[in-house]
Amino acid sequence: IVAEPFSHHQPGLICRNGTALCHRALGADALRIQNVGEDWSQWRDYEEVSDWEIKHAKGVLVQYHAEGSSSYVVGACVDAAGEGCFASWHEEMFLRGDFNEWGNRGDGRMRLVGQYTWGTNVTLAGFEKAKFAPFAGWSKSYGRHSDRATLYNLDEYDPRHKTFSPEPFMSGSEASRRWMNAKALWTPHESIASGAEFAQALWMNSGCTAEAPKCPEVEASEAQWTCAGFTGDQDQRWCRTVGSVGCMEYAENDKSPGMTSCGPCSCCRRKVAPVLTGSDATCCVLFHDLYLNYTLTSDLSKCAGALESQSPPTLTSTTATVTTQISTTTVHHFDGHQEGPCPKVDPRPARSPEVEAKIASSADRLTVAAADFEEVGYKRMASPKDWHSEVAYSVFVDRFSNGDITNDQANLPDFQKEFLKNGEVKQIYDWRHGGDLQGVKGRLGYLKNLGVTLVVLSPIFHNGKGDYHGFCTSDPTKVDSGFGTNELLRELVREAHAVGIRVVLDVQVNQACGKGLEYRTSNDVDGVTQCMQNYERAYWNSTRGGAVDNKDRNQISFGPDLHPDLQEEAFFAGCGSQFMYRPDGRDPLTGSHNSYVQAFYAWGDSADGSKHFNTMDAAFQEIYANMLKFWIAFADVDGFRVQASGTVSADFAVYLSTQTRHYAATLGKEHFLVVGELFQAGTPFMSQQLGRVAGNYILPQTVQGVLDEQCAVSRELDPPLPGYVSSYPVQETFNVRDMASGRAGAEDFYGRADWARDTKKLRDVIDQQADLLSSWTSVESGSMPRLLSRTSSPEQAWPLIVAAGWSMTWSGIPELFNGIEMGFNGLCYKDAAERAKMAAALVEQGIDSDEAGRLLRDCDYSLLGDKINSGFWRQDMFIGGPMRLGSAISSVQEHVGIRASLMEANDPHWCEDPLLDRTNAIYKTFQALIRIRQSCLALRTAEDQQAKIITGQSDQLAYWKLHDHPSDGSPRAVLVVLSFGAEPTTQAVKYSLPSGVSFQEGQAFVDLLNPSRMAVVYGQVGKEMHLMVPAEVGASHVAIFAPNDFSKKDGDRSWLVCIGSDLPPLPKDPCDKDPSRLMLMTWAALSIWVSSFVGVLVWNRRSSLYLCLVKEATGPDGPTSVANLIEAKHVLTAAIEHTIPERKVKVSAGGLGKVLDQMLREHPHGRLSLVHPMFGDVEYGSLDE
């Protein structure tokens, strides 16, 4: 049970003139209610308002519960006049002890001085015993719970488990008091009582503390002398002279009658009786009878509280009950829409001149970048008014397309260089495969043709380790040389904007990597634990901007790769491996408190050699935020998606989101997108990074500090949210993946209680704090296995088609991950025959058979399952890639292969790449669904109702998507039907109609995806009605039924769209050609050209052939908008030596094929004729193709 400051005096809990309770428990999924003194109600699902009979002048308590988290209790009290009053758990309370002869000298009656808080002043002489009693008699009392030892074992992977013998972990009220004092969560004035029948009297003393005497009381049997042995330097002289040590007295055996019990020993010892006397002092004793906390204080006014006061007392004993995250400071619940002045912020602590210089350097970089963007004449693209209509495509840059083979050898990891040199395929899944920004730029037409409006680039910043995935950054201001250049990214963004595609960058802000970035010292398990706990305490209890004096931090060397502005020891947590963190000797991820879990992720290094930032450092936050702002200024990117955001402190998340969005707004991007990867089911603390940030919980002081500091800035944002605009992934993603892979049934989506509870809880958190419609819905990503790899038939495409149907019709931004539309399954082989075939192909390349076998074992899903190396999930999407893996599309599956080398020539244009078969069913379904989603407003809302299947197929998930008043005239209700089975039914199915929407009997519906399929409203008005899909109207895995009169054709495509939408016309397919017409025109043109050429030669038989030699590249005078380019219909090329200005490299006549390839990439719509000159004694070789 977590007690919060003022939680039992919550204004507004009792509402509607005392007839109801209004709840504000963000993230709760259940609640129960109690009028004090009566029984608790049954648990019920969380609701905004509960009808409840309030008892005047009696407290009401509400207990909220969040699955996987903790419960907490709030309360309120009003009298008959509706005024606030103090409530208590007991009708009366007494304090009895030595000081009042246990109630024989005065009854010790206490007075109610606050919510559930009783007080009385007592005069103490030294140490005295006492107990709290809730009745005049002794039928019940609260005292001290004796210590009990509890031991925990270490896991076997911890080398200490064989010799693990720590001090026992103690339970009991006195042990709890000592533990809370050691953690600086309580002062010596505070403790907790126990109502156990065996509870003993507790101690109070004239120092107004709850501390017990230094030495425990001595029983008569313990007061006798016993034999004492010597250890270390102890001897008989020591025994004779030492006197008392701790709570033990030593003396030489004088053989007197009093020492008879010592026997023949020369040295004797006995326990020392405690010193209980002391000067008199009067103390105020406060007892919280709900949580049983008590406090002693010399401030006697605390016990003179007025009952008419409605302000709850500020009692540390009622607020610091259990965990490290409870703070006793005043809580400001931030509301992005609040009015009034922002809180006053204390001046920022002084920083060293070196740190100030780095902050200034990062700010200057922004100014230069913005000026450079203006100087080249580019125009910025404004943000959309919201992101709800966007469809995203996540590009995994290294595996998407290799557009420039000249950078393939740049920044390779050392192990890959060695393997390439030896022609080996070891760890090919961890290689860099050559994908780059030029490849993304060359496929913008492909993405536009698919229909996406938003491209997300996997991390592309410089990585000193050369990792292909970019998840660990060395220099956030520079594009990794293996991916391209800063200027190339800016050009990519410009061209994407020209075709209506926005660009978002995946960024990893929690850690850094690089050669030479390593610790000079190394913590052991205890050092790691202490270091991480130091950060956790500072996080919850330190002011904003204060330095963390963590003496347990490792010393660090930075190496050559890390950006100079980040080379500060205070910018790194420096604790060591998170897997060595053992709070209380336990694994923090098994049964520990959430604060332990948070520390595990926020302050420890992961297993990949990266070093975790101290994201709580205010100077670090400012510098890193400026480094990301640089890309807004320099390249005009449209947003950031913060990966692994749950591993950074929430104060940094708030600062980063507020600052980047505000800076982007100054450049015309008023709705700049910043979303965080938050697996909120893991811990409720992650919601502290989201939207409004404040919920019904206590915030760490550092988070509250950044909210106060950024208050004025965040209020200027639209929407005025200091935290992330939204988050990903949504809980439903994992449910749909289980359904599509056969691990759950379609009925579970709405029918499983735990799924429904978790989904509602997390949707409520996002909806109440942030923008639910800007969350991301995907069924695949770079951080999870390919969906088809989890199915029993990875060669079947239907699971992806069904998953696509859900993603495109659910609330949020649909996201397609690299290659999902091509049916990628991440498999090297699906059976023994294919495995043998691949092994033989590897051996044929000269690969050692044992090495080939090891690689194929690494790719064995039947053996490794979801634990397979994530590199296999990210297979190559270009024909020249060294790791082309399996697909549910047979034309793509034909090209499976692994090669121990990188590309030696550029790939064909994407129109001709055999891995991009755009005729496949998955691609076409995505293409249609994107258009349908953009046309039907109801598909983009968060309003869904289950469509119950009255009769028909049981393996269907059906739901209505609703919109109360579509502004574009599109339908109010659309039915989505997803069939989770290899063979969808053709039988008749009846679905329930949504509540709140009226339909007429006989009203026709049409399946927008398959217009041949119709449905009709069936039944009688005023009675139960259904939507019936007749039998034998065709089968489909995905159906979207809309009222027939609300649909229209989408150009010449086979699907329909909703009416009323301002849908742009379909783009022309750049690869679409009429072969017969083209051949006829080519032969006609060739005949005319040959005839003309022969005629000219005859007429000018003495004429010379003039050749223009281009010695130096001459680029255009200025930047040209892609939208304004004029494409030549026919390009005639003759060249001995050709320079490609963009590449700044020369291509000899022997490389004319490369010239042709490059020009086809730049001019795919026209025809290109190549004149191959052969004259004089120069031999250029034959032109084969």
Side-chain angles (χ1 to χ4, degrees):
I1 304 295
V2 178
E4 297 184 357
F6 313 159
S7 64
H8 306 125
H9 183 75
Q10 181 170 304
L13 178 63
I14 298 175
C15 60
R16 298 185 179 178
N17 295 321
T19 63
L21 301 175
C22 295
H23 306 289
R24 293 179 290 126
L26 187 66
D29 51 33
L31 62 86
R32 62 177 181 169
I33 308 170
Q34 180 196 70
N35 286 330
V36 172
E38 301 177 6
D39 292 335
W40 284 103
S41 71
Q42 294 296 315
W43 284 100
R44 63 180 73 177
D45 289 340
Y46 179 78
E47 55 198 1
E48 298 293 334
V49 179
S50 301
D51 293 330
W52 190 256
E53 183 182 354
I54 308 300
K55 301 294 180 67
H56 296 308
K58 284 281 189 180
V60 61
L61 296 172
V62 183
Q63 183 178 10
Y64 302 107
H65 177 69
E67 184 69 24
S69 177
S70 59
S71 298
Y72 69 98
V73 177
V74 301
C77 179
V78 295
D79 58 22
E83 299 295 325
C85 55
F86 287 152
S88 66
W89 187 257
H90 300 87
E91 294 292 335
E92 53 188 359
M93 187 62 63
F94 301 86
L95 176 61
R96 301 180 180 129
D98 295 335
F99 42 79
N100 61 8
E101 298 179 2
W102 295 93
N104 294 322
R105 181 165 48 86
D107 62 2
R109 185 179 299 273
M110 303 183 77
R111 165 173 204 220
L112 191 62
V113 296
Q115 292 288 6
Y116 301 93
T117 304
W118 300 86
T120 187
N121 293 328
V122 297
T123 300
L124 302 170
F127 289 89
E128 301 197 45
K129 290 183 177 180
K131 270 191 170 186
F132 298 100
F135 309 109
W138 283 100
S139 59
K140 178 72 175 177
S141 64
Y142 300 107
R144 173 171 57 89
H145 189 299
S146 301
D147 289 359
R148 290 184 178 182
T150 307
L151 284 175
Y152 297 89
N153 291 325
L154 286 181
D155 291 319
E156 291 186 359
Y157 60 77
D158 189 317
R160 300 185 309 158
H161 80 278
K162 294 181 179 179
T163 58
F164 186 53
S165 56
E167 289 295 317
F169 184 83
M170 306 301 294
S171 66
S173 57
E174 177 60 17
S176 297
R177 184 192 68 80
R178 292 194 302 267
W179 190 90
M180 295 292 280
N181 271 269
K183 303 293 183 182
L185 300 170
W186 283 350
T187 67
H189 303 277
E190 298 158 85
S191 190
I192 188 169
S194 168
E197 292 182 0
F198 51 79
Q200 302 171 350
L202 46 82
W203 288 102
M204 298 179 178
N205 66 75
S206 54
C208 295
T209 76
E211 293 179 315
K214 180 180 179 181
C215 295
E217 292 182 285
V218 179
E219 301 290 340
S221 60
E222 299 175 317
Q224 296 183 357
W225 291 100
T226 59
C227 186
F230 296 138
T231 60
D233 296 333
Q234 298 173 359
D235 55 18
Q236 192 64 26
R237 183 175 179 277
W238 173 88
C239 179
R240 188 183 310 121
T241 59
V242 70
S244 296
V245 177
C247 292
M248 196 67 69
E249 177 186 2
Y250 292 85
E252 189 173 39
N253 191 345
D254 60 5
K255 307 298 183 179
S256 65
M259 284 193 166
T260 302
S261 59
C262 186
C265 297
S266 62
C267 183
C268 307
R269 67 178 184 177
R270 65 180 177 182
K271 290 186 176 180
V272 177
V275 178
L276 303 179
T277 58
S279 57
D280 292 356
T282 301
C283 303
C284 165
V285 180
L286 299 163
F287 180 63
H288 192 285
D289 72 341
L290 183 61
Y291 290 123
L292 307 185
N293 292 17
Y294 65 95
T295 300
L296 285 79
T297 174
S298 58
D299 184 356
L300 304 185
S301 66
K302 295 285 188 181
C303 285
L307 282 175
E308 62 270 19
S309 170
Q310 294 187 40
S311 299
T314 305
L315 300 178
T316 55
S317 64
T318 67
T319 62
T321 308
V322 181
T323 58
T324 60
Q325 75 268 25
I326 301 302
S327 166
T328 58
T329 56
T330 302
V331 180
H332 309 284
H333 288 297
F334 181 89
D335 184 348
H337 301 279
Q338 69 183 9
E339 297 178 356
C342 288
K344 183 179 179 180
V345 178
D346 294 332
R348 178 176 290 170
R351 296 160 169 161
S352 69
E354 293 80 10
V355 170
E356 291 290 356
K358 291 177 178 182
I359 294 174
S361 169
S362 67
D364 291 343
R365 190 180 303 111
L366 281 181
T367 305
V368 173
D372 186 57
F373 188 89
E374 298 299 324
E375 184 177 338
V376 296
Y378 292 172
K379 293 183 179 180
R380 298 192 182 275
M381 187 180 196
S383 303
K385 65 177 182 178
D386 61 53
W387 296 83
H388 308 161
S389 300
E390 305 300 319
V391 177
Y393 190 100
S394 287
V395 168
F396 208 90
V397 175
D398 182 64
R399 309 289 165 90
F400 183 65
S401 176
N402 188 347
D404 182 4
I405 62 174
T406 64
N407 61 17
D408 286 2
Q409 301 293 326
N411 199 26
L412 292 180
D414 291 338
F415 72 87
Q416 183 178 350
K417 293 177 183 177
E418 186 68 21
F419 296 152
L420 282 171
K421 178 181 176 182
N422 299 331
E424 299 173 302
V425 291
K426 292 178 182 177
Q427 296 178 246
I428 193 168
Y429 41 82
D430 281 333
W431 289 13
R432 298 188 83 139
H433 292 184
D436 49 36
L437 295 181
Q438 183 63 36
V440 180
K441 179 168 168 273
R443 287 191 174 182
L444 288 175
Y446 169 79
L447 297 171
K448 179 69 175 178
N449 185 255
L450 179 59
V452 300
T453 61
L454 178 63
V455 168
V456 185
L457 302 179
S458 62
I460 56 172
F461 301 150
H462 174 60
N463 172 355
K465 290 175 59 180
D467 291 334
Y468 74 94
H469 46 66
F471 291 157
C472 200
T473 299
S474 305
D475 185 350
T477 68
K478 184 170 69 175
V479 169
D480 191 283
S481 58
F483 297 142
T485 64
N486 292 9
E487 291 73 20
L488 181 56
L489 174 62
R490 180 165 64 183
E491 188 64 24
L492 188 160
V493 174
R494 183 176 75 99
E495 294 199 11
H497 286 172
V499 295
I501 296 177
R502 291 181 168 85
V503 179
V504 167
L505 300 184
D506 269 339
V507 294
Q508 193 100 5
V509 301
N510 61 324
Q511 59 191 10
C513 295
K515 295 177 180 176
L517 181 61
E518 54 193 26
Y519 294 134
R520 299 195 301 274
T521 56
S522 180
N523 274 334
D524 58 12
V525 169
D526 294 333
V528 170
T529 301
Q530 187 60 50
C531 176
M532 292 170 70
Q533 289 181 330
N534 291 345
Y535 280 118
E536 189 70 4
R537 280 194 290 271
Y539 179 54
W540 285 95
N541 302 305
S542 297
T543 57
R544 163 77 175 159
V548 180
D549 183 19
N550 198 339
K551 63 181 182 297
D552 297 290
R553 179 168 52 203
N554 286 316
Q555 297 177 347
I556 192 168
S557 297
F558 300 114
D561 294 323
L562 188 69
H563 192 285
D565 288 352
L566 297 176
Q567 295 186 16
E568 281 290 325
E569 201 156 279
F571 292 176
F572 289 85
C575 293
S577 171
Q578 59 189 180
F579 301 103
M580 295 174 67
Y581 176 47
R582 284 292 178 275
D584 301 327
R586 290 176 286 177
D587 181 346
L589 301 184
T590 16
S592 296
H593 192 274
N594 280 320
S595 64
Y596 292 163
V597 177
Q598 178 172 269
F600 175 86
Y601 288 114
W603 316 117
D605 299 334
S606 59
D608 59 0
S610 60
K611 299 296 178 279
H612 207 289
F613 287 124
N614 169 21
T615 58
M616 193 167 47
D617 189 281
F620 164 81
Q621 293 177 4
E622 191 169 350
I623 290 172
Y624 214 99
N626 283 343
M627 288 177 161
L628 294 186
K629 291 177 192 177
F630 168 80
W631 298 105
I632 310 173
F634 180 82
D636 197 37
V637 299
D638 300 285
F640 296 126
R641 200 170 64 166
V642 184
Q643 294 191 328
S645 191
T647 62
V648 304
S649 54
D651 56 321
F652 180 38
V654 171
Y655 183 88
L656 184 68
S657 175
T658 300
Q659 281 290 311
T660 52
R661 290 175 60 213
H662 186 266
Y663 178 75
T666 65
L667 299 179
K669 293 179 175 291
E670 296 182 356
H671 304 105
F672 189 80
L673 184 66
V674 183
V675 295
E677 183 182 23
L678 298 171
F679 291 90
Q680 295 185 52
T683 164
F685 292 135
M686 293 188 182
S687 59
Q688 293 173 0
Q689 304 187 13
L690 194 60
R692 292 191 314 111
V693 176
N696 247 7
Y697 41 69
I698 300 301
L699 291 174
Q701 287 196 43
T702 52
V703 179
Q704 188 60 61
V706 77
L707 285 176
D708 294 345
E709 177 190 272
Q710 299 296 313
C711 172
V713 177
S714 64
R715 287 184 182 181
E716 295 178 2
L717 302 175
D718 184 15
L721 304 174
Y724 296 133
V725 174
S726 199
S727 66
Y728 73 102
V730 297
Q731 182 66 26
E732 300 93 306
T733 287
F734 306 101
N735 302 344
V736 172
R737 282 173 62 87
D738 281 350
M739 292 157 55
S741 59
R743 304 184 184 197
E747 70 280 1
D748 291 332
F749 191 83
Y750 285 104
R752 272 182 57 169
D754 55 337
W755 282 17
R757 182 184 62 243
D758 292 345
T759 297
K760 182 180 185 303
K761 178 178 67 175
L762 297 184
R763 286 184 70 171
D764 285 349
V765 169
I766 301 174
D767 192 32
Q768 294 175 41
Q769 286 197 210
D771 182 5
L772 179 62
L773 297 181
S774 290
S775 57
W776 292 50
T777 58
S778 62
V779 290
E780 286 194 339
S781 75
S783 58
M784 61 178 70
R786 290 283 181 179
L787 174 59
L788 294 182
S789 73
R790 307 177 84 234
T791 67
S792 58
S793 301
E795 72 283 357
Q796 294 187 359
W798 72 262
L800 281 181
I801 293 176
V802 174
W806 170 80
S807 177
M808 290 292 168
T809 57
W810 205 244
S811 56
I813 301 173
E815 176 194 3
L816 288 71
F817 177 66
N818 206 87
I820 186 175
E821 74 280 18
M822 291 300 145
F824 284 1
N825 58 31
L827 271 63
C828 303
Y829 48 84
K830 66 176 183 290
D831 53 37
E834 287 191 359
R835 178 171 181 163
K837 180 180 178 181
M838 177 166 280
L842 290 171
V843 171
E844 189 176 346
Q845 295 179 47
I847 306 298
D848 179 76
S849 60
D850 290 339
E851 181 188 328
R854 283 191 294 270
L855 175 64
L856 297 182
R857 280 194 297 274
D858 289 343
C859 194
D860 190 340
Y861 281 83
S862 64
L863 177 67
L864 300 173
D866 289 352
K867 295 182 180 180
I868 203 162
N869 188 283
S870 57
F872 289 114
W873 313 339
R874 306 156 185 164
Q875 64 197 85
D876 292 334
M877 198 175 167
F878 51 100
I879 191 62
M883 193 178 76
R884 303 177 309 281
L885 303 184
S887 168
I889 308 304
S890 58
S891 60
V892 178
Q893 174 70 23
E894 291 175 1
H895 299 281
V896 169
I898 294 177
R899 187 181 68 248
S901 62
L902 300 180
M903 284 173 53
E904 297 176 354
N906 283 334
D907 262 359
H909 185 268
W910 63 264
C911 289
E912 309 298 333
D913 194 320
L915 293 192
L916 303 184
D917 179 3
R918 295 178 303 124
T919 65
N920 80 74
I922 305 174
Y923 182 94
K924 287 185 171 296
T925 301
F926 269 118
Q927 201 174 37
L929 286 171
I930 291 172
R931 296 287 291 181
I932 294 171
R933 174 185 175 83
Q934 290 171 338
S935 71
C936 303
L937 190 56
L939 292 178
R940 307 197 297 272
T941 71
E943 300 298 323
D944 66 282
Q945 282 188 29
Q946 180 184 9
K948 295 181 179 179
I949 301 173
I950 310 302
T951 60
Q953 187 173 359
S954 61
D955 60 353
Q956 286 186 343
L957 168 62
Y959 49 87
W960 289 92
K961 290 302 299 289
L962 308 171
H963 194 292
D964 288 340
H965 302 288
S967 57
D968 58 2
S970 59
R972 289 183 58 194
V974 177
L975 175 65
V976 178
V977 180
L978 307 177
S979 295
F980 287 84
E983 297 295 335
T985 184
T986 58
Q987 298 176 354
V989 186
K990 288 198 297 186
Y991 304 95
S992 63
L993 295 176
S995 58
V997 183
S998 60
F999 298 99
Q1000 297 295 321
E1001 183 186 12
Q1003 185 172 354
F1005 279 67
V1006 62
D1007 182 357
L1008 301 178
L1009 266 176
N1010 303 280
S1012 63
R1013 303 183 72 219
M1014 302 293 289
V1016 63
V1017 176
Y1018 175 80
Q1020 296 181 4
V1021 178
K1023 297 183 178 180
E1024 191 172 12
M1025 301 178 69
H1026 310 100
L1027 184 71
M1028 184 176 72
V1029 179
E1032 305 302 331
V1033 293
S1036 176
H1037 280 98
V1038 179
I1040 302 177
F1041 287 100
N1044 191 44
D1045 49 354
F1046 281 87
S1047 65
K1048 65 178 182 180
K1049 287 188 64 65
D1050 190 15
D1052 60 353
R1053 301 304 172 97
S1054 61
W1055 60 79
L1056 303 179
V1057 294
C1058 292
I1059 66 170
S1061 59
D1062 186 19
L1063 203 61
L1066 283 161
K1068 181 182 178 182
D1069 188 344
C1071 307
D1072 196 12
K1073 297 183 178 70
D1074 183 343
S1076 60
R1077 182 171 175 269
L1078 181 61
M1079 183 173 292
L1080 180 62
M1081 292 178 60
T1082 303
W1083 278 109
L1086 181 60
S1087 300
I1088 296 172
W1089 187 83
V1090 171
S1091 301
S1092 301
F1093 184 67
V1094 172
V1096 169
L1097 288 178
V1098 172
W1099 184 262
N1100 299 289
R1101 54 187 180 276
R1102 292 189 178 182
S1103 299
S1104 300
L1105 177 63
Y1106 289 90
L1107 186 65
C1108 178
L1109 299 176
V1110 181
K1111 296 183 178 180
E1112 186 176 353
T1114 55
D1117 295 332
T1120 303
S1121 170
V1122 174
N1124 296 329
L1125 286 177
I1126 299 175
E1127 295 185 349
K1129 301 299 182 184
H1130 193 160
V1131 179
L1132 181 67
T1133 303
I1136 291 179
E1137 184 170 89
H1138 185 80
T1139 300
I1140 305 172
E1142 186 176 340
R1143 296 287 187 277
K1144 297 183 174 61
V1145 296
K1146 291 185 176 181
V1147 181
S1148 67
L1152 283 176
K1154 294 182 180 179
V1155 177
L1156 177 63
D1157 173 77
Q1158 179 63 26
M1159 296 194 70
L1160 285 174
R1161 286 171 178 270
E1162 303 298 333
H1163 304 283
H1165 295 289
R1167 287 184 295 146
L1168 186 143
S1169 299
L1170 179 64
V1171 176
H1172 188 52
M1174 299 182 65
F1175 54 90
D1177 57 357
V1178 180
E1179 176 60 50
Y1180 291 96
S1182 61
L1183 181 64
D1184 294 328
E1185 299 184 27

